[in-house]
Amino acid sequence: HPFSGDPPPMAPHPDACFGYRCDPRLSTARARAIEVPQGKVDLVDSDARIDLSGYAPAARYQGSLGACTAHAGAAAVRALMDMAAREGLFGGQPFDVSTLGVYQLTLDRTGHRGVDYGASGTEMLRTLARGFPREDAWPYSEVLSRDLPPLSAMTSRRVVGWRQVPHTVRAIRTCLALSCPVLIGIPVFDGGNGMASPRAFATGEVREPASGDELSGWHMVTLWTHDPKTRSFTFQNWWRGFGDDRCLGTIPEDYVVGRSNEILSVESVR
């Protein structure tokens, strides 16, 4: 699976799999500042917990494919559909996005059709902006073929709003306050503090790497919650057996803002 640099040792937990392509050219560290709407300033700048985890969909697992970006994007899209439907603004029944289809279409767009090459968050979102298939019409499989989803599996829906997010807690809180899920492409380290450690699988808690911990790979997850009191985010993973029954876990805010390559907010689906 794709890594940045030379292939490191295999992750310690057998269900850990990577797939995020860390391209420094796509770093969002210098993204344009996000203006906080006047009606959200008090919330964003308060010590209140901002929580969208009620919209985190049921757990879906990437298995042995490097399809973490597609899973992160599909989770955000499903949440936005559910939010819009709750407000009577969706104009249809929400549905699960085909993560396999999104991954295959992204690979095809980037010149890697049929190859488990991984993807960046930016390239995955560019795929979602062109449209996407339904999960029930093109279900997930860990067998990656050169076949692409047929037109009959595609929908008329597409992502019409997403943005790069500056690497600050306030910018991420602004996105969450606007009910926009946030995707992060982050490094995963070996050792007992890492996301792929047995301890993290059991507890869902990711910690800063200890001295001497080495890079295992790069991964993309979706942020749903920020808690200023614990200085942590709640995120959703795509590894079977990770965290709780929806694969939710926690990660320090310093880890997110200090180590992410891409931080991306998904804003609207039509």
Side-chain angles (χ1 to χ4, degrees):
H1 291 289
F3 299 96
S4 177
D6 295 329
M10 184 178 295
H13 195 287
D15 290 321
C17 182
F18 309 108
Y20 174 71
R21 297 292 299 187
C22 178
D23 185 343
R25 296 171 298 178
L26 298 176
S27 171
T28 56
R30 296 187 178 182
R32 186 167 55 187
I34 299 175
E35 183 177 350
V36 183
Q38 190 61 38
K40 297 292 184 180
V41 170
D42 289 345
L43 173 60
V44 169
D45 291 337
S46 73
D47 62 357
R49 177 183 174 94
I50 302 178
D51 189 358
L52 301 182
S53 64
Y55 288 103
R60 299 171 70 183
Y61 311 116
Q62 68 182 91
S64 60
L65 283 187
C68 58
T69 55
H71 279 75
V77 168
R78 177 58 198 255
L80 290 171
M81 289 183 192
D82 288 339
M83 293 176 197
R86 184 173 182 177
E87 300 296 323
L89 302 174
F90 186 63
Q93 187 69 24
F95 58 87
D96 286 334
V97 176
S98 169
T99 50
L100 179 63
V102 171
Y103 187 41
Q104 289 175 307
L105 291 168
T106 303
L107 292 173
D108 184 58
R109 283 189 53 257
T110 54
H112 304 286
R113 184 171 178 174
V115 179
D116 190 13
Y117 187 77
S120 68
T122 294
E123 293 297 347
M124 179 274 300
L125 287 173
R126 287 172 177 167
T127 296
L128 288 175
R130 295 185 175 194
F132 43 81
R134 298 174 61 103
E135 174 69 17
D136 55 10
W138 195 250
Y140 195 72
S141 168
E142 294 178 45
V143 178
L144 187 66
S145 73
R146 290 182 58 84
D147 296 334
L148 297 180
L151 287 177
S152 60
M154 299 299 292
T155 72
S156 61
R157 304 291 183 177
R158 61 190 180 93
V159 168
V160 295
W162 63 275
R163 73 164 79 196
Q164 296 182 331
V165 180
H167 293 200
T168 67
V169 172
R170 190 171 192 261
I172 300 173
R173 279 181 63 83
T174 298
C175 295
L176 295 175
L178 294 172
S179 298
C180 299
V182 175
L183 318 181
I184 57 170
I186 52 173
V188 177
F189 295 90
D190 64 10
N193 289 345
M195 185 183 294
S197 68
R199 182 200 57 76
F201 265 76
T203 65
E205 181 190 11
V206 177
R207 301 173 182 171
E208 287 284 353
S211 176
D213 287 354
E214 296 185 357
L215 180 70
S216 289
W218 287 80
H219 191 47
M220 177 158 272
V221 297
T222 303
L223 300 182
W224 298 107
T225 301
H226 178 251
D227 188 341
K229 295 179 181 178
T230 61
R231 299 188 63 192
S232 67
F233 292 97
T234 297
F235 70 95
Q236 190 167 25
N237 205 346
W238 330 112
W239 296 343
R240 186 181 300 275
F242 183 92
D244 67 8
D245 58 354
R246 286 188 295 168
C247 293
L248 296 179
T250 59
I251 188 169
E253 59 185 29
D254 287 346
Y255 194 118
V256 172
V257 301
R259 300 184 184 277
S260 295
N261 184 55
E262 289 179 289
I263 303 180
L264 304 163
S265 174
V266 189
E267 299 180 334
S268 57
V269 179
R270 289 182 186 168

